[in-house]
Every structure is written in structure tokens, then in C-alpha cells.
Amino acid sequence: MIISSGVLARRTVKRRIPGFTIRWQSTTGVEPPPAGGHLPSVATSQYLRLTREAAFRTPGLSWADEDGSSPARNIVGGRETRKMNTYQAVRDAMSVAMMKDDTAVVFGEDVAFGGVFRCTMGLAEEFGRERVFNTPLTEQGIAGFAIGLASMGQTAIAEIQFSDYIFPAFDQIVNEAAKFRYRSGGQFNVGKLTIRTPTMAVGHGALYHSQSPEGFFMGASGLKIVIPRSPIQAKGLLLSSIRDPNPVIFMEPKILYRSAVEQVPIDDYELPIGRAETLTAGSDLTVLTWGTPVYHCEAALHMLADPPSSLERLIPPSLRSAKIELIDLRTILPWDVDTVTESVSRTGRLVIVHEASQTAGVGAEIAAEVQKRCFLKLHAPVKRVTGWDVPVGCQYEKFIIPDSLRILDGIMESLNY
Amino acid sequence: MLRSVRSLHIRSQTLVKGRGLANAAPKFPAQSQGHLPTSNSPLVSKLQFFNSVTSESGQIPTYRVLDGMGKLIDGAEVPDALSEDFARRLYENMQLLPTLDNLLYNVQRQGKISFYVTSYGEEATIIGSAAALAPDDEVLGQYREMGVLLWRGFGVNSVMAQCFGNQEDKSGKGRQMPMHFGSPELHFHTISSTLATQIPHAAGVGYALKRDPSRRGKNVAVVYFGEGAASEGDFHAGMLLASTIPAPTVFIARNNGFAISTPASEQFYGDGIAARGPGYGVDTVRVDGNDILAVLNAVKEARRRCLESGRAVLIEAMTYRVGHHSTSDDSFAYRGRQEVEDRKKIDNPITRFRLFMESQGWWSSDEEEELKRRLKKDVLEAFKRAEGVKRHQLKELFSDVYGGQEPWNIKEQREELASLLKKYGEVWEPWRNELGNFQDKGQELFKE
């Protein structure tokens, strides 16, 4: 997998470890292109929408600045896009949300100067320090403060600097935010709460800048968990999350902050929460993933169809024409069971790919539900390609986080079953 | 004086001893050597440690108005607003608490409700602070603050409805344990069992009040918690947030000497909760929590300062948990029966205020009898009424998990329960008996 983003490294330095800096070292990007030609990377992904027209064709996109009762018009003609990377799209979403909602505030550690990943750049200048402010370094406090604000009907957009550091807020999120509406008989709620947090591996993040904790929150009914894969997705899904009547944890794959670039509509739009998106249609096998691994899966699909010479003898020609369906789950809770089971019922095979470790990960939940609903349609056991059940050891990352080769191998194993 | 109980006395002795090494009053040279760029702290040439927030290394004093016999102590002032009517209202509400406690504690013993928490001994702290607040100040409680709701007119029927979890329970539709009240109309945020989680919420609520043009400068957030809960990280977070991101938030610590079985001496080594306030840059006061007039004055002034400065204020109310921690606790397993009996006699907040009322000619033993009889009757009637009220519809077990569209998993599980009930509801006795307690006996679940 080739994700080359030398600049990202400078932003991922965690100031919790004074004087300790981690520099981006691509473990693969420095290699010459394989003999079979360039594989798709984030930079060249087909799933990124590089033109204005393509951006407007984003499935499920709905404009949030139009009154539903107004007559239909040709929106394409009147709207604009701008080239944005993921952090710019996240920033744009927050700016739109704050512009339209005077109660909306953005806070967390180091957000006032723009954030360690630049997601809040210029927001303090634009909206003032009363609406965009730093908090003391306390995750349980940030989550608790946000819950208090949201319980008063105000829009709270909180940031946890890395999802690895969300655990001090676990009690506030699981026992408080998730249960707030239920326990009060619907009298109080924290629906206006959104917690943004960078997630997933970054090449050198080791144990505490690499985690994918979505699975830990999956059992917390009352929460929603959303993970975008690209700038268009990030903006649309974040705006939906901020406006959803439930507390949402919005996990942003940090390696995509700079590497994923698209034409993003500049107007206010939303993408649906709770709905997966089928990126490539197929009939032989379903690959289900979310976040960063979307691009590893894309590369794996290319390797299967057109193997690089180094792998040629390992990939049976009979498999190369397999039609693989790729689905981006996007929402982890509540996940889109209809799209997934419809797909698996057609293809008979499912490979689930996620970065988090395997045991009791999100893949386990989905695999169980799919085998229940698609038992008679399955031609192979559900295969999970995930991180191993180990912490993310710094120098071992290449062999821990599933890459395109492991995904390819999982696909072949399932096809050969 | 408040700490005259033997164990506490011993504790304070050890405290003084324990601090001996760092106990000498810090005397820094008058001549300052300047200060560091990140601090206003004067540079000194003498190596000296310190361990107190007061000068002379004493403990933070406890503010009091009435002595144990209900007499004004020297130099103390009665609150301005203390008319006879207001005093009577305070007294009635204080008396209502033990009336409810006596009945509900006993019916829990008979298995009629599942759980109960009394307020014995803390009546002055709760009613006095409630009376000092504006009726629309946002209150976040721990679980021993039912008196705040009663003061605001919650009514004994609502108390019963919540404790029974019947269909009149608006606090939580029968979902939470007894004593987990809530009322948006009365600005009382729903109680949860998780200790101290409400403390950082209060900072957020305070900030929300400050950002709301219709309430800015008018309302404060008020958060109650025990001295045990103050050991949680959320206490630290809440104090830190409300002081750093200035928010009008009044923190009220009920220091009643015990967190279940753990005496305060095993909860902290410093000078109570009050000593922590200045560490966060927060105006702080310690008050005799068994003296309703002291609590009233202190909370009123705290509220005024809080509104004026837009920042947090901390009050530590010193009291004593006369009752067991809850109905699941027998406190004589860890403290002497005599100790509690003594405390009830020597320092009873209700008696103390009654003596004061009598000294003003505002109260008599006839009125006392009449009040007790009336409250008992009201409470008993409400109890009997609540006993006969059915629970909410069974389908409410699935609602309110999410706002907006119900997710598929919850919908499917609701349907699964419905089909199980259809199949077994009439024949499986444990379910049949239970269904009888619900309005519509769960039938509404198959109709959807």
C-alpha cells in the first residue's frame, strides 16, 4: 500500500511526550513501483471525486440549505466545489455548522490555534474564543463538559486529540451520553453532542497514536459511531453527525487528513448516517470495510485482477476475473445491516477488513449477524482480515495493520473455499 | 465543635501531627527577589515546604450562625429574607424529609420498593441550599438531594411515582432505581448512579447558561456531591473546567463523614474538600451543614459571587450521615450505634432550627404535633395511591434509547420480545405475574 504523506508526520507529534517527535517513515512508499505498474493509492484512488461533477454525484448527498418544500432546481448548475483534503473538509463542516447555529461551540485540547491536525484552523478567529476554545488536558472533563452543554440544548462539538485517549472519557460516553435520554424518560437528552477524534494507524504511531477503538463503543446503545473515508464523506457525515438527535462519536482516519483530496461542495450538505455505500459492485464476494482500509481494499482488488509480476504465480488465474463488491460501512453503530446482507446474499462470500484487533472487534458482531441472516447463502465462512490481537508495536506496524496483500490473501482464501 | 465525635477528633489529631514537619507557618522574606516569567510567585532564598491553604497552617474555618441550641452565635447575622413565613416553609420542608424517609425506608424493608436512600442528618444542608437558589437555577445532584426538588414543588406524589417506577413516573418511566429523580420544569437534571459524573456536566451547564442571552447573569449551575465522590477524577475535571473556562457554577460538597463504610479520614488526607478550592483558583467557603441559616447565607453569597464573577464557587457543608448509606447497607457494621445516637441528639439540624423558631415565637409544640401529623398523613396517602398505579407500557423498555428513527436492531429485538410474550406470556408464570404490573399487560407490543 502506498500512502505517501510526508507532511502528516509533523502534525502527529503528540505533545504529551515532550521533546519526543515521530517522523513519518513510509515503509512502502520509498520502494520503486512494482513491475505490474502503479497500484492505486489514496492519491490515485478511483473512489475520490476529483471533478466538480463527480462531487455532485456523491450518492446520498442532500443539500441542507434548501427547504424541502421549494421546487426542484438544477443544483449542479448553481453550486461550487473546492479542492480540499480531509482536515480542510472537517474544518469546513464545523464552520458551516457554527455559522448556522449560534449555540454551536468547538472545544478540546489545542483547538484554539487550529488543532494539532489543523482541523480547527482559523475557526477561533472566525467565530471568537467564546465559541472555539481550549480546554485543560482532561478527556473525562471534555466529554463531561460537552454533555452538560448538550443537555441544555446547545450544540457541543468536542475533540479528543487521538482516539487512543478517549478511554478516560469512556465512563462519560458509555454511562452518561449513551444513556442520557433513556434514563430520563426522554426528558433530557444530549443529542447535540458530537465527539470528533482522529483514529487508525499512521505508519509510526505505535500503541497510542494508532488505535481504532470503534468496537469498544459498539455495544453502547444510544450512541452513534461514524467513520468517513474521504473529504466529501467527512464533511457530509460530520454535518449529519452534528445535527443528528443523538450523541455521535465521529472518528477521522488521521492518515487521510492530508493524503485524501477531493473536490468538496462548499455549500451545506449532509450524507446519511446508518447507511453503507457500495463503492464497487460485484457478484462473487463482498468486502466490507471502513476508514483507511478502504484504500488498501481498492489496491487488493487491483492486485487480484492484475497481479504485479512478483505475485503472479501466487494468484491463480481462475480467481483474477472474480467480481468483488466493495462496501464502505461508514456508520459502525447502528450499522447498515440491509446493505451488507443484501450484498452477501448475492455474492455468498464476505471478507471484513478493519484495523482494530480481531477478538470482539466490530467484525465479530457483523460476522455473527451475517451468518444468522445469510446462512443458506454463504459459500464460505466469513473471513476477517484485521489487526492481530496485540497492541500496535511501533516497528512492527507493517505486519500488524492489515495491508493490501493480507486483504488479497483473505479474498483468495474465501474464493477458494 | 462539629468534629467532636471521637473518631473524627482522633483524625484531626493525627492530621495535625502528620503535618508537623511542614507545619511551621511559612515566613518568607519581605524582600522579593522577583518572579519567574510563567508565574507571579515571588522568588525566595529559603527552602520551605508548606501544607495548608490558610496562614498559620490552620484548617479552613467553619461558618456558623446558630449554635447547637438554636441561639445566634456572637457576631452572626440572620439572613435578610428570613421572615416568619419563609422560616416556616424551611422548617416544613426539613420535616418532610424524615417523614418521607421513615415511610419509604420501612416500605423498602417490606419489599414494596426496591431501594431507598435517606437524607437523615443532612436536612439543613439540602433545604438551606435549595432555598438560597433561584427556582430556575440548574441543579445537578448526586442522589441525596431530593429535598431540592421538594423545595421547588415536586410533590410527594412524584416522589412515590419514581420510587415505584409507575406510569406516573416522569423522571425515568420506571427505568432507573428509586431516588433517581429528574425534572426539566424544575431545572433538576436527572440523577444517575455514576458518582461525580455530574460535576463536569455542571461546568458545561454553567457555560451554556453564560452563552444563553436570556439566562446570562441570571442563573447559575449548581452541583451537589458527597465528599467521597470528590475523590473521583470527574471532581478534579469539573472544578478545573469551571475555573479555567469561566462558568457560573456553584459546587456544593456534602461532607457527611462517610462514603458508604469509608470514613472521610480514609478518603483524603488534606483539609477536607474546601482546601482544594483555592488550588483551582476558586472562591471557597466551609459551612456548618447542620445550621440551616449558615447554609442559607453561604449559598446565597456563593451564588451572588458566582453570578458576579461568572466563575466557579465551592461550598463544603460539614454534616453527618445519620442514616445508613442506603437500604442495602447496615452502617453499624463499621461505626458504633452509640456514635450515631449521640450525633442525632447533640447535633440535630431540625431540632436546632426548631429551637431558633421557638425563640422567635414562630413555632410551638402544638404546631409541631399538627405538622408531623399532617405530613405523615400526606405521605401515607401518596404512598397508598402510588402502590395501586400500574407501570408504564412494557414497550417503553425499548423507547428513548435513540432520538429520531428507531434503529433496526432495537426494532427487531422489540418484535422478538413481542413474539416471545405472545407464545409464553400466558403460560410462563414468572412473566404472567410480572406482566400484570404493566399498563396493558404488554399487549401493546403485538399490536404494532
Side-chain angles (χ1 to χ4, degrees), chain B residues 31-337:
Chain B
Q31 198 68 27
S32 171
Q33 317 275 317
H35 57 81
L36 296 172
T38 53
S39 161
N40 288 322
S41 157
L43 290 164
V44 296
S45 53
K46 190 160 181 245
L47 177 65
Q48 207 158 22
F49 289 74
F50 66 99
N51 187 354
S52 174
V53 295
T54 61
S55 58
E56 306 305 320
S57 297
Q59 294 205 350
I60 294 170
T62 304
Y63 169 69
R64 167 181 266 196
V65 173
L66 298 176
D67 69 11
M69 299 307 290
K71 290 201 181 77
L72 277 183
I73 69 169
D74 279 353
E77 282 178 28
V78 173
D80 298 340
L82 194 72
S83 64
E84 180 179 344
D85 283 351
F86 192 73
R88 282 170 170 273
R89 200 180 149 210
L90 289 173
Y91 189 68
E92 280 206 29
N93 275 278
M94 280 171 92
Q95 279 289 15
L96 178 55
L97 283 173
T99 315
L100 274 161
D101 286 351
N102 290 342
L103 178 90
L104 287 170
Y105 185 83
N106 286 318
V107 302
Q108 191 283 332
R109 286 304 187 226
Q110 297 160 16
K112 291 185 175 172
I113 60 172
S114 60
F115 179 79
Y116 191 72
V117 175
T118 67
S119 306
Y120 292 127
E122 298 180 47
E123 295 91 348
T125 297
I126 299 163
I127 301 298
S129 56
L133 303 173
D136 56 348
D137 284 341
E138 300 291 329
V139 172
L140 297 90
Q142 180 168 302
Y143 48 62
R144 222 180 284 282
E145 296 90 5
M146 179 173 69
V148 177
L149 273 168
L150 293 171
W151 177 263
R152 291 182 172 190
F154 193 58
V156 289
N157 282 325
S158 299
V159 168
M160 296 298 169
Q162 199 283 329
C163 288
F164 278 97
N166 67 28
Q167 61 175 302
E168 291 173 0
D169 172 29
K170 282 165 74 183
S171 293
K173 295 187 184 169
R175 290 172 184 148
Q176 289 216 77
M177 286 171 79
M179 306 306 286
H180 291 57
F181 302 106
S183 168
E185 298 79 32
L186 299 177
H187 303 276
F188 191 94
H189 295 233
T190 308
I191 301 293
S192 70
S193 307
T194 38
L195 282 185
T197 46
Q198 78 278 15
I199 303 175
H201 297 181
V205 169
Y207 197 72
L209 289 170
K210 186 167 138 177
R211 291 215 65 230
D212 181 346
S214 68
R215 303 186 71 180
R216 185 183 303 143
K218 290 182 191 146
N219 285 123
V220 296
V222 185
V223 59
Y224 290 86
F225 50 90
E227 90 286 351
S231 299
E232 294 282 0
D234 276 331
F235 167 81
H236 164 68
M239 291 288 288
L240 189 61
L241 286 160
S243 58
T244 312
I245 306 164
T249 314
V250 177
F251 293 79
I252 303 180
R254 295 178 291 96
N255 185 346
N256 64 17
F258 289 94
I260 307 188
S261 74
T262 306
S265 58
E266 292 170 23
Q267 202 65 246
F268 48 75
Y269 181 63
D271 181 11
I273 310 304
R276 301 178 198 169
Y280 295 105
V282 167
D283 285 0
T284 300
V285 69
R286 174 176 284 154
V287 59
D288 180 347
N290 287 4
D291 174 356
I292 191 165
L293 298 186
V295 174
L296 194 62
N297 276 343
V299 176
K300 232 180 207 175
E301 171 59 15
R303 186 180 183 279
R304 193 196 62 74
R305 274 169 189 256
C306 185
L307 278 178
E308 190 183 86
S309 65
R311 284 180 184 276
V313 178
L314 172 65
I315 300 158
E316 182 182 24
M318 307 304 293
T319 177
Y320 187 79
R321 197 195 77 212
V322 172
H324 301 301
H325 162 70
S326 74
T327 47
S328 310
D329 171 52
D330 172 16
S331 68
F332 300 131
Y334 49 81
R335 61 180 185 181
R337 204 176 280 268

Side-chain angles (χ1 to χ4, degrees), chain A residues 89-380:
Chain A
V90 166
R91 188 239 178 255
D92 196 44
M94 285 190 278
S95 173
V96 168
M98 294 181 84
M99 200 130 50
K100 290 199 169 178
D101 175 0
D102 285 339
T103 74
V105 293
V106 168
F107 53 93
E109 295 159 15
D110 306 296
V111 303
F113 88 107
V116 298
F117 286 110
R118 292 289 175 261
C119 291
T120 50
M121 276 272 275
L123 288 178
E125 289 75 14
E126 194 177 343
F127 296 101
R129 286 296 282 262
E130 191 190 291
R131 298 186 65 189
V132 182
F133 52 90
N134 291 336
T135 64
L137 210 159
T138 166
E139 284 79 11
Q140 66 193 97
I142 292 168
F145 186 89
I147 289 168
L149 262 173
S151 75
M152 296 294 288
Q154 301 192 5
T155 300
I157 307 168
E159 178 180 306
I160 299 293
Q161 203 162 67
F162 286 81
S163 62
D164 311 66
Y165 305 124
I166 205 167
F167 299 110
F170 199 74
D171 183 40
Q172 286 286 355
I173 294 169
V174 175
N175 276 327
E176 294 291 319
K179 298 172 173 59
F180 217 86
R181 185 190 303 268
Y182 187 76
R183 74 175 187 217
S184 68
Q187 292 197 117
F188 288 92
N189 72 79
V190 291
K192 296 202 166 183
L193 165 65
T194 306
I195 296 177
R196 293 178 40 247
T197 186
T199 191
M200 299 194 181
V202 71
H204 53 275
L207 282 76
Y208 308 110
H209 303 82
S210 305
Q211 294 180 55
S212 299
E214 62 269 20
F216 289 108
F217 294 97
M218 199 183 189
S221 247
L223 288 184
K224 294 191 177 182
I225 307 162
V226 177
I227 306 178
R229 69 167 186 277
S230 74
I232 291 178
Q233 297 290 314
K235 180 176 172 183
L237 289 169
L238 181 53
L239 279 165
S240 296
S241 299
I242 290 168
R243 293 159 179 168
D244 189 90
N246 296 286
V248 180
I249 302 183
F250 191 82
M251 295 180 168
E252 300 159 4
K254 57 184 157 305
I255 202 162
L256 305 179
Y257 274 139
R258 285 164 187 265
S259 59
V261 179
E262 290 182 303
Q263 287 291 333
V264 178
I266 57 169
D267 291 329
D268 185 355
Y269 70 94
E270 295 175 9
L271 290 169
I273 292 180
R275 294 250 298 279
E277 184 185 346
T278 304
L279 299 179
T280 305
S283 51
D284 297 323
L285 181 145
T286 304
V287 174
L288 176 66
T289 191
W290 51 92
T292 313
V294 163
Y295 303 98
H296 301 264
C297 290
E298 184 183 18
L301 265 49
H302 278 265
M303 283 159 72
L304 178 69
D306 182 16
S309 56
S310 56
L311 294 178
E312 219 167 350
R313 66 177 182 84
L314 294 164
I315 299 172
S318 61
L319 300 182
R320 294 180 194 176
S321 56
K323 300 270 185 298
I324 312 293
E325 182 148 305
L326 178 61
I327 299 177
D328 177 6
L329 190 61
R330 299 196 291 188
T331 302
I332 307 299
L333 182 72
W335 63 283
D336 185 350
V337 71
D338 290 339
T339 298
V340 175
T341 53
E342 186 280 324
S343 171
V344 178
S345 296
R346 265 191 293 106
T347 63
R349 290 182 163 85
L350 176 62
V351 174
I352 303 170
V353 182
H354 59 65
E355 289 195 3
S357 49
Q358 187 160 99
T359 299
V362 172
E365 175 59 34
I366 294 174
E369 200 59 38
V370 165
Q371 72 83 23
K372 181 182 117 185
R373 290 168 192 254
C374 308
F375 187 69
L376 294 176
K377 308 275 186 161
L378 284 172
H379 305 317

Side-chain angles (χ1 to χ4, degrees), chain A residues 40-81:
Chain A
S41 66
V42 178
T44 58
S45 169
Q46 288 174 20
Y47 305 139
L48 293 168
R49 295 172 178 267
L50 303 177
T51 65
R52 178 171 163 274
E53 288 68 30
F56 290 133
R57 285 197 306 270
T58 300
L61 185 151
S62 65
W63 300 103
D65 48 5
E66 282 184 334
D67 180 351
S69 61
S70 64
R73 64 184 174 109
N74 180 8
I75 50 171
V76 175
R79 297 197 184 265
E80 285 175 37
T81 59

